[in-house]
Amino acid sequence: MTYINRTKGTKMSKNQMQQLKNSPQTVVKNWGQKFNAANIIMPKIILQQKMSELVEDGKAKPGDLVDNLTDEVLAQVGKPLEIIPFRTETVWMEKHNGDFAGAKPYDGQELPFEEEKDGVTIVRDKVMNVFVLIPGITDVPYIIPFRRTSYKAGRKIETRLYRNVLGGLNPCAFAMNLTAKKVDGKKGTYFVIDAATGRKANNDEAILCYRFNESVLSGQRKVDYSEEKEKKPHPQF
């Protein structure tokens, strides 16, 4: 006897149904779910500041590196987060009269960070999005947006990828370690990200980075900018 999943028309055997009843986490290979690549969000690694929502809610501390989708603390302040970067993309993020207006590819031309144009106040941020594999997490790549005071760390990572290629290696040849550094500035005390070269990536990690990079190039995985439209954006330094 078979049982029909009416929503998709796929068939599950009586044995599979019994397995599900006994253990809800049993994997059923012919579940019938189809996924739309446009709906899959790449998580971002976000550096927490004193004014960050998770910090105010007591779920994280300033300097923690957090998954923006799950709110999981990936690395506590003072501890490194190992990543394997495989791609970078730099964009100009624009706000018009305070509202997010989109992201435009950076082509090497420097633009003013703020200007008035046709009665519109334009505020820009140059952001380097670094695509990375976190060792041990094999289902999805992460994005780290580097801007403002942390932009230098993004440049360090891109320089590492560049030197890898010049040396006849894959861009993802080396892992890197991210750490949060406390800084005292005009806006008070805040944290910035620093990056340092670590160990060589192994072959399995290189293959996974290649697959992730292909998914980015094909358009299956894109940077999600929806949080930029929120009324209370993440504090930037």
Side-chain angles (χ1 to χ4, degrees), residues 205-233:
E205 292 166 337
I207 291 172
L208 197 51
C209 285
Y210 175 81
R211 291 174 178 169
F212 284 158
N213 188 58
E214 287 292 296
S215 69
V216 174
L217 288 174
S218 68
Q220 293 180 4
R221 299 185 187 275
K222 298 179 181 179
V223 181
D224 178 46
Y225 293 107
S226 60
E227 77 277 5
E228 300 292 335
K229 301 177 183 180
E230 295 176 2
K231 294 182 179 179
K232 187 180 178 182

Side-chain angles (χ1 to χ4, degrees), residues 70-224:
T70 65
D71 295 342
E72 176 188 359
V73 176
L74 300 171
Q76 295 179 331
V77 59
K79 296 183 179 180
L81 175 65
E82 186 180 53
I83 61 168
I84 302 177
F86 60 87
R87 183 179 188 80
T88 66
E89 292 180 358
T90 303
V91 298
W92 284 109
M93 305 263 284
E94 289 193 1
K95 287 188 176 182
H96 295 180
N97 292 332
D99 295 325
F100 180 64
K104 300 178 180 179
Y106 172 69
D107 59 3
Q109 180 183 2
E110 298 301 328
L111 299 173
F113 286 96
E114 187 170 346
E115 66 175 331
E116 293 283 337
K117 192 172 182 179
D118 298 327
V120 177
T121 300
I122 302 174
V123 177
R124 299 185 180 91
D125 250 343
K126 187 163 64 173
V127 181
M128 182 185 296
N129 291 312
V130 178
F131 299 77
V132 306
L133 163 70
I134 297 181
I137 300 179
T138 60
D139 59 335
V140 66
Y142 278 75
I143 299 170
I144 312 171
F146 291 93
R147 68 178 85 194
R148 302 187 188 182
T149 52
S150 288
Y151 191 82
K152 182 179 179 180
R155 294 180 66 189
K156 283 186 178 182
I157 294 174
E158 185 162 348
T159 300
R160 178 73 266 174
L161 269 62
Y162 174 72
R163 294 182 67 179
N164 291 346
V165 173
L166 284 185
L169 303 172
N170 290 319
C172 59
F174 284 89
M176 299 194 76
N177 295 309
L178 300 182
T179 53
K181 295 170 55 178
K182 185 185 288 187
V183 175
D184 292 320
K186 295 180 180 180
K187 296 183 178 181
T189 300
Y190 57 93
F191 286 84
V192 299
I193 297 178
D194 196 12
T197 300
R199 64 175 175 83
K200 285 188 176 181
N202 62 46
N203 191 55
D204 288 341
E205 292 166 337
I207 291 172
L208 197 51
C209 285
Y210 175 81
R211 291 174 178 169
F212 284 158
N213 188 58
E214 287 292 296
S215 69
V216 174
L217 288 174
S218 68
Q220 293 180 4
R221 299 185 187 275
K222 298 179 181 179
V223 181
D224 178 46

Side-chain angles (χ1 to χ4, degrees), residues 1 23 103 216:
M1 180 182 294
S23 176
V216 174

